[in-house]
Amino acid sequence: MKKLINSVDSVVTDALRGIAAAHPSLRVDIENKVVFRADAPRPGKVGLVSGGGSGHEPLHGGFVGHGMLDAACPGEVFTSPVPDQLIEATKGVDGGAGVLHIVKNYTGDVLNFEMAAELSGDEGVEVATVLVNDDVAVQDSLFTAGRRGTGATLFVEKIAGALAETGAPLAEVARVAREVNERSRSFGVALTPCTVPAAGKPTFELSDTEIELGIGIHGEPGRTRAPLREAREIVRVAMDAIDADLPLSGETLVMVNGMGGTPLIELYIVFAEVEAYLRDKGATAVRSLVGNYVTSLDMQGFSVTTCSLTGELTRLWDAPVETPALRWGR
């Protein structure tokens, strides 16, 4: 294993120190492992909190800031944040208008966020929860009852975050967040496994001629293994799975996401094939992201996430955002 780390035991803490040093727009509570907006809480504004295991950067800490999250809670690598973290984050962003928890559908995340919401409610904080479960690849995987939450988490955080900036009430922010999730679908492909620092070895094995179709962001098994083939054919498998679950049409937000170890030139090849597929279906990629946003450490591969847009969702997507990993309009 070759990793730029000091110790397998201090990976998350050391990374948080780096985030704090690099981004003065954030306030990082290293002891409790919470990344806050420096100006949180904002009086009268709904606070947005998300979190999950580390190793998916820039998700979630890279999306803390104006127009997105008010706080993010990183767990240990591929491990859910604990309720105490989530409670600290929830109380720390409560400006009196309530707090929205954005939760990826993994069993540990769901249970710990539920406990944090209940205990925060006992302390007088109104909490609403939105579950993200956009992955069409498999049902009931290693860490999940139901579908996994993947790339649509970014879409939910951005669009709900934009609405929260307008002063909208908690119920409305939660409604829009749920709508984004319902309109979004994802599918991932792995060319190689990833290596968790504490394990020191790849999470699974793939031969040089194999790929995993429908991979999860922790290296969970997908639908099937298949021979490596042209990018066009791999993209067709991913897009066929998405289209079969929610037919593609109209104006669409599209993210081609790198899993952490994929060169950007290859991601643009993938995006060209995704865009061509959409055109063939009568859909249009009117908004797009290409890059590493929801990663799996050093895994080579990609995921595609689509969201069927409305006028309201497009306006909220276009609204100003300023975070370490996503910024425009300010």
Side-chain angles (χ1 to χ4, degrees):
M1 179 178 74
K2 292 181 179 178
K3 297 283 186 183
L4 292 170
I5 61 176
N6 296 315
S7 158
V8 295
D9 298 322
S10 66
V11 169
V12 175
T13 300
D14 289 347
L16 287 173
R17 288 173 45 238
I19 290 169
H23 301 292
S25 62
L26 304 178
R27 173 168 52 87
V28 181
D29 180 343
I30 293 175
E31 180 181 355
N32 290 302
K33 295 180 180 171
V34 182
V35 179
F36 290 100
R37 283 175 63 159
D39 59 355
R42 298 287 302 278
K45 176 189 172 300
V46 171
L48 270 65
V49 174
S50 194
S54 296
H56 306 303
E57 290 73 23
L59 192 79
H60 294 271
F63 301 131
V64 174
H66 178 91
M68 286 192 80
L69 296 175
D70 294 273
C73 299
E76 294 299 320
V77 175
F78 291 179
T79 303
S80 300
V82 298
D84 286 350
Q85 278 178 276
L86 301 169
I87 292 167
E88 285 295 322
T90 301
K91 292 191 298 184
V93 305
D94 179 29
V99 175
L100 180 67
H101 285 175
I102 299 171
V103 186
K104 301 191 304 302
N105 188 33
Y106 298 97
T107 302
D109 289 18
V110 171
L111 292 174
N112 289 348
F113 268 97
E114 281 180 356
M115 185 179 297
E118 183 178 342
L119 294 173
S120 298
D122 290 344
E123 296 188 31
V125 181
E126 184 182 4
V127 179
T129 299
V130 170
L131 196 66
V132 181
N133 58 353
D134 55 304
D135 188 354
V136 303
V138 295
Q139 187 88 5
D140 300 329
S141 95
L142 291 179
F143 306 112
T144 310
R147 291 181 168 183
R148 303 176 294 211
T150 57
T153 313
L154 183 156
F155 293 175
V156 172
E157 291 174 356
K158 169 64 187 77
I159 291 173
L163 185 59
E165 291 290 347
T166 70
L170 179 59
E172 184 66 9
V173 177
R175 179 196 66 78
V176 165
R178 293 188 183 103
E179 181 181 2
V180 174
N181 177 64
E182 289 163 4
R183 289 174 166 271
S184 299
R185 298 293 188 272
S186 295
F187 191 94
V189 177
L191 278 62
T192 69
C194 61
T195 299
V196 176
K201 60 183 180 180
T203 51
F204 59 95
E205 293 184 1
L206 273 177
S207 76
D208 290 343
T209 60
E210 282 184 312
I211 59 175
E212 182 88 23
L213 297 169
I215 193 73
I217 59 173
H218 308 94
E220 308 98 308
R223 288 186 173 184
T224 186
R225 291 191 175 182
L228 180 63
R229 59 193 87 169
E230 289 183 354
R232 180 178 297 110
E233 296 179 26
I234 299 171
V235 167
R236 187 177 301 118
V237 171
M239 298 304 291
D240 280 349
I242 289 172
D243 185 58
D245 196 84
L246 184 66
L248 295 160
S249 65
E251 296 191 339
T252 306
L253 166 61
V254 182
M255 177 172 67
V256 168
N257 169 67
M259 302 300 278
T262 308
L264 193 55
I265 190 171
E266 296 177 27
L267 296 180
Y268 277 112
I269 291 171
V270 169
F271 186 84
E273 300 302 335
V274 169
E275 192 274 336
Y277 184 100
L278 288 169
R279 276 191 285 109
D280 286 345
K281 293 290 182 178
T284 308
V286 295
R287 299 292 186 274
S288 60
L289 288 177
V290 180
N292 289 297
Y293 296 101
V294 184
T295 62
S296 186
L297 293 170
D298 53 346
M299 182 184 289
Q300 293 182 29
F302 73 94
S303 63
V304 181
T305 303
T306 63
C307 179
S308 177
L309 290 169
T310 65
E312 178 189 33
L313 298 186
T314 302
R315 287 192 298 274
L316 291 169
W317 178 260
D318 289 343
V321 59
E322 187 171 358
T323 71
L326 210 64
R327 60 181 66 192
W328 57 71
R330 291 192 91 200

